[in-house]
Amino acid sequence: MEKNFIIAGFGGQGVLLAGEVLATAFMLAGKHVTWYPSYGAEMRGGTVNCEVVASDDEVSAVNKIDTDFIVALNQASFDKFIKKIKNGGTMIANSSLVKELKNRADINYLFTPITKLAEELGNIKMTNILALGVLAKASKMVSLEHLIEALDRVLPPHRKNLLPLNIKALKIGYEYDLLPV
Amino acid sequence: MTQCLAEKKVLTKGNYAIAQAAILAGCECYFGYPITPQSEIGEFMSGKMQELNRAYVSAESELAAINMVIGACSTGAKAMTSSSSCAVSLMQEALSYATSDQLPVVLVSVMRGGPGLGNIYPSQGDYFQATKGGGNGDYKLIVLAPSTVQECADLTYKAFYLAHKYKNPTVLLADGLLGQMMEPVEFKDYTYPEIDNSSWALTGAKGRDGRVIRSYAPLAEDQCVFLEKLYQKYKTIEENETEWEEIGTEDADILFISFGSTSRNVKTAVKMCREKGIKAGMLRPITLYPFPNKRIKELSEKVKKVITVEVNMGQMINDVKLAVNGKVPVELINKPVGAPPAPEEILLKVEDLI
Amino acid sequence: MTTQVFKIPDSLRKDVKYSFCPGCDHGVAVRLVAEVLDELNLKEKAILAASIGCSVTIYDFLNVDSIESPHGRAMAEATGVKRARPDKFVFTYQGDGDFASIGLAESLHAALRGEKISAICINNTTYGMTGGQLGPTTLLGQVTTTSPTGRNLEYYGYPIKIAEHIALCEGTAFSARVSLDTVANIRKAKEAIKKAFEVQIKGLGFGFVEILSTCPTNWKMTPDQAHERVRNEMMKTFVPGIYKDITNNKQAVLV
C-alpha cells in the first residue's frame, strides 16, 4: 500500500519540519518513505509545501498528480491544493485561517482550528506539530509513538528543550474531537 | 539532516547523503562554490571538513574550485567538488585537462534546468554535458547516475573508487529532485580497496627526478601514442564497469530505458502497463559512461519497441539509437524540465505509441 | 687550488635542450628560482604549479614535482596542492597574462586567503608565446600585434601594477617588483625570490615577486636594447621595490 501526504502553509509555519517529522515516523515504522519539498520560485508568493510518500514497497514517483491527505495551514494552500485531492481523499484545513467551504462532494473535509489550539497551548509555533497530531488520527497511517520518537530525532539540539511542548501539541491534535464536517 | 548514526537508517536529503558518503569514503579535500540545488553539499562540508581537520576552501569560482581539485588530486589525495549545470559548464576545460593528466577528480553534478541560467528545477539536460563532455579533445568521464537517496550515498563511494582505480575524472550525475528529497539511508562502511598511487602522485622529488603531470604534448606523435593508451583504458572500463538494472525484461515487448530520478516513475509505469496487459520492462543504466549498449543491443533483438523516458529534449535516446542500430523503433517520452512525467502520463503516451 | 664560483643548480634538470628565445630573461629567472630552491634545501619537498604561456616549459628545466594548470588557474592548482599537503613547499611560475589577466581572480583570492604559497610572475608587457599581443601589462603607447597604433586609453585602458595590487591583500606576507637588467638587479631579484619563499616556509602568508623581463623576439630588439627598454620605459610605470614585507614591518603603500 502507498499513501501520499502534502503539508502546506506559509513560510514560517514549519511545514517542511512537520513533513520531516512525519517522514521520520514512517521510517521508524519500517515503511519506505520519500520527502520532497517545494523550493525555488515556487516558494515565492508565500506558500511552502512538502510531499511525503509512504509505502510498503520502494517509493517510485514523487510529485504525484493527486494526493491522499492534504494539510492546509492557510487559505492560499487550501485554494492551491483542493484540486489535487484524490477521490475519497481528505483535506485537513486549519479553520483558524481557512474559510470552511466544501465545494467537493467526493472528499472528506476536516476543519480544525489548529492555530487557535496552538495559541491556547501557549505557543503559536506549535501549529505544525499540532497539525501532525490531527493528521495521525485522521489517516490512521502513523502512530503517536513513532511521531514522538521522530520529533526527538528531528528537533536540533538547541531546540530539544521544546520537546515536551511539541509532544503536548501532537497529543492535543491527536485527541481533538474529529468529527468529519 | 536527521542524524542518528548509531541507528542504521537516517532520513536525509540526497545532497547530505552525498556529502556524508564523501566524508566516509575518505575525501580529504572539498573545494566548492554555491549553486542551487546542491548548495547543501558545500554547507555540510564546510562544517564537517573543518571538524575533521580536512581541507575545505570556499573557492572564488567554479573555475577555481575544479582546478583546486586537480591540484589536490595531483598529490594523490581524495578530493572533490560539487556543482550544478551552468556552473559545471565552467568546469569543462579543467575536466579535459584532468582526463589528460589522468587524475582522480570527483565531481558531483546536480542537474537543474537549462540552457543558460535556466532555473533550479530538476532536469536531465546535462546528460550530454556529462557523457560527451564540453571540453576539448578526445576523452571520457566515468558517469554514475543514482536514482534514490541511498544510491546517492552508495555511488559516491563508487565514484571515489573508480576515479582512483582508473585515474579518470568521475561524475556523480544527480538532479535537483534527488538532491532535495529525503529518504532513509544506511551509510555502509567504505569497503572498496584503497588504490596505491605512489607511482605517480606528486610528493616532492626525493631520491628521484621530478615528476611532471602534464597534458602539453608538443609533438603530434606523442599525442597519438597517448590517446591510443587512453582509449585502451576506456576499453577496460567499458568491459569491467558497465552497470545497469533491469525489471521485467524477460518477456517485454516494450522496453523502457530511463536513468536517474526519472526511472522511478518509469518503474511504476511498468507496473501500470502490465496491469493493462502491456508487457513492459525497463532497463536503467547506472553507469551512463560506460553505457550498457551491449545489453540494449541484445534486448532490442527481443522487444518490439524501445522507449526512452527523459527530462530533457531527448539526449540519452541518441546513445540508445546507436545501440539498437535500427532493429526496432526507438521513441521518446520526455518532459523538458521539472519533475519527471507522472506514471499515468507515461502510460497514456505508451498507449498512443503502440 | 681552484674555487668554484658558479655551478649549475641541483634543482635544474641535466641535459635539457634550452627552449627560450635568445636574450629572453626567462632563462635567468628560472636559474634564480633553482638556486633559491637549492639554497633553502627545498627541491625534495617542492611542488610546482606550472602555468600556460612561455612559462609552461619551466617543468622541463626544474627538476621538481610539477602539475600543469590550465591558463590562469595555476594559483588554484597550487591552493589544491597546498591544502592537500600542507607540509610541501608549493610555488607557481606564471606570466603576467596568466597571473594578472585570465588568472587575476585566482591570484587575488589566493593572496586574500593568505595561502601559504609563493608565486613568481614574469612581466614582459606582452603575450609572448602567441606572438606579441597586447596583455594586461602592455604599457600605454606600446605597439603590439593587437594594438597596432599603440595602447591608447580609449580602446584598451590602463596596464595593471601587479605587485602593488597583491601588496594590498591582507593575506600577503611579501610582495616585491624586481628586474633582471643588471647584475646588481639580478642579485636583488634573487633576494626577493628567497624572501617570497621564506614567508611560506615560516607560514606567514602569501609570497609574491613580479619580475620585469625582456621579450626581445616580440619587442623586435637586441637583448641589450631590450634591457634598456626595461630600464627606461617599463620602470617608469612599474617601479621596482618592496611593496610589502611583514617580516620588516613594511605594509602596503600606494605608489
Side-chain angles (χ1 to χ4, degrees), chain C residues 77-197:
Chain C
E77 261 75 2
T79 299
V81 172
K82 189 69 182 186
R83 294 296 184 111
R85 302 288 180 254
D87 57 322
K88 300 298 171 195
F89 176 80
V90 183
F91 70 109
T92 69
Y93 184 88
Q94 304 168 258
D96 52 272
D98 198 271
F99 186 93
S101 188
I102 189 170
L104 185 61
E106 281 77 3
S107 303
L108 282 177
H109 283 281
L112 287 165
R113 286 192 304 266
E115 294 291 345
K116 277 65 173 180
I117 293 170
S118 309
I120 308 296
C121 174
I122 302 296
N123 174 358
N124 61 8
T125 71
T126 191
Y127 286 119
M129 199 185 220
T130 47
Q133 294 81 14
L134 177 130
T137 52
T138 297
L139 297 173
L140 289 177
Q142 184 179 339
V143 173
T144 70
T145 59
T146 50
S147 55
T149 58
R151 181 175 197 148
N152 58 61
L153 288 178
E154 190 190 354
Y155 276 77
Y156 306 96
Y158 292 95
I160 181 171
K161 297 176 180 181
I162 308 171
E164 289 89 328
H165 277 83
I166 293 300
L168 284 172
C169 297
E170 285 169 281
T172 300
F174 181 81
S175 177
R177 180 182 295 117
V178 296
S179 72
L180 304 172
D181 61 314
T182 64
V183 173
N185 283 343
I186 289 173
R187 287 212 180 100
K188 277 192 206 162
K190 186 172 164 183
E191 282 313 303
I193 293 169
K194 204 175 222 172
K195 240 336 187 346
F197 282 16

Side-chain angles (χ1 to χ4, degrees), chain B residues 116-137:
Chain B
L117 184 59
N119 56 49
I120 62 173
Y121 294 109
S123 158
Q124 297 185 316
D126 301 331
Y127 176 88
F128 283 157
Q129 186 190 54
T131 60
K132 312 302 169 203
N136 62 306

Side-chain angles (χ1 to χ4, degrees), chain A residues 2 16 19-28 31-37 39-43 57-66 149-150 153-155, chain B residues 1-4 7 9-11 13 36-37 120-122 147-148 176-178 180-185 245 261 263-265 267-268 271 339-340 342-345:
Chain A
E2 182 172 288
L16 298 182
E20 189 177 350
V21 172
L22 181 64
T24 304
F26 281 125
M27 175 180 81
L28 293 169
K31 299 262 187 208
H32 293 269
V33 64
T34 299
W35 172 98
Y36 185 65
Y39 68 100
E42 205 182 305
M43 283 166 70
D57 305 312
E58 202 180 339
V59 174
S60 55
V62 290
N63 230 333
K64 292 179 183 297
I65 53 170
D66 52 16
E149 198 186 333
R153 287 202 182 198
V154 173
L155 285 182
Chain B
M1 127 156 79
T2 311
Q3 220 177 350
C4 184
E7 294 269 340
K9 291 224 166 162
V10 175
L11 184 80
K13 276 191 177 189
T36 311
I120 62 173
Y121 294 109
S147 67
T148 62
L177 196 83
L178 289 165
Q180 294 301 323
M181 70 163 50
M182 285 202 267
E183 287 184 325
V185 182
E245 181 193 5
S261 60
S263 67
R264 301 163 64 109
N265 292 22
K267 237 179 217 181
T268 307
K271 278 186 209 155
E344 294 82 357
E345 283 173 66

Side-chain angles (χ1 to χ4, degrees), chain A residues 66-67 70 78 81-91 101-109 181:
Chain A
D66 52 16
T67 312
I70 289 183
F78 182 92
F81 288 110
I82 190 72
K83 305 174 279 284
K84 245 194 137 177
I85 299 178
K86 273 183 201 169
N87 195 336
T90 302
M91 165 60 90
L101 278 177
K102 293 188 282 177
N103 292 333
R104 280 182 65 176
D106 61 330
I107 63 168
N108 307 308
Y109 288 90
V181 276

Side-chain angles (χ1 to χ4, degrees), chain B residues 108-283:
Chain B
V108 173
S109 169
V110 182
M111 292 180 281
R112 56 185 261 173
L117 184 59
N119 56 49
I120 62 173
Y121 294 109
S123 158
Q124 297 185 316
D126 301 331
Y127 176 88
F128 283 157
Q129 186 190 54
T131 60
K132 312 302 169 203
N136 62 306
D138 289 288
Y139 71 90
K140 308 264 187 195
L141 307 173
I142 299 170
V143 183
L144 310 176
S147 67
T148 62
V149 176
Q150 180 67 53
E151 265 191 349
C152 284
D154 297 348
L155 292 179
T156 297
Y157 286 180
K158 192 160 192 184
F160 277 100
Y161 169 62
L162 292 179
H164 282 259
K165 182 177 179 189
Y166 293 104
K167 296 201 302 165
N168 199 78
T170 300
V171 180
L172 182 82
L173 189 68
D175 61 49
L177 196 83
L178 289 165
Q180 294 301 323
M181 70 163 50
M182 285 202 267
E183 287 184 325
V185 182
E186 187 182 336
F187 290 102
K188 299 156 193 158
D189 291 331
Y190 182 80
T191 51
Y192 291 109
E194 294 297 338
I195 306 297
D196 177 24
N197 54 35
S198 58
S199 65
W200 60 268
L202 304 185
T203 55
K206 196 168 186 178
R208 56 167 173 77
D209 275 338
R211 288 173 176 158
V212 181
I213 296 178
R214 63 189 281 177
S215 64
Y216 183 42
L219 302 176
E221 53 263 42
D222 291 348
Q223 188 78 346
C224 291
V225 171
F226 170 74
L227 281 171
E228 293 292 350
K229 260 177 71 183
L230 187 66
Y231 272 67
Q232 275 303 316
K233 178 170 89 176
Y234 291 145
K235 218 177 139 200
T236 311
I237 294 172
E238 285 162 19
E239 278 160 13
N240 296 340
E241 307 299 346
T242 310
E243 201 185 329
W244 69 90
E245 181 193 5
E246 283 179 36
I247 300 162
T249 49
E250 318 77 47
D251 62 341
D253 291 332
I254 303 288
L255 174 67
F256 288 110
I257 301 181
S258 183
F259 74 97
S261 60
T262 307
S263 67
R264 301 163 64 109
N265 292 22
V266 176
K267 237 179 217 181
T268 307
V270 166
K271 278 186 209 155
M272 293 167 109
C273 283
R274 289 207 169 243
E275 279 160 19
K276 291 228 166 187
I278 304 166
K279 280 199 234 164
M282 179 182 80
L283 182 146

Side-chain angles (χ1 to χ4, degrees), chain B residues 50-97:
Chain B
Q50 291 186 54
E51 194 184 306
L52 296 169
N53 208 13
R54 300 185 193 176
Y56 169 88
V57 178
S58 282
E60 56 270 31
S61 68
E62 289 86 356
L63 293 174
I66 188 80
N67 282 284
M68 288 173 189
V69 177
I70 287 182
C73 285
S74 74
T75 70
K78 282 185 188 165
M80 70 176 289
T81 184
S82 60
S83 192
S84 179
S85 301
C86 43
V88 174
S89 300
L90 283 171
M91 300 182 173
Q92 298 303 322
E93 177 198 36
L95 290 170
S96 167
Y97 272 73

Side-chain angles (χ1 to χ4, degrees), chain A residues 113-127 130:
Chain A
I114 301 171
T115 304
K116 191 172 144 254
L117 291 172
E119 272 170 350
E120 284 168 12
L121 175 65
N123 190 336
I124 197 171
K125 289 200 165 148
M126 294 297 129
T127 302
L130 213 144

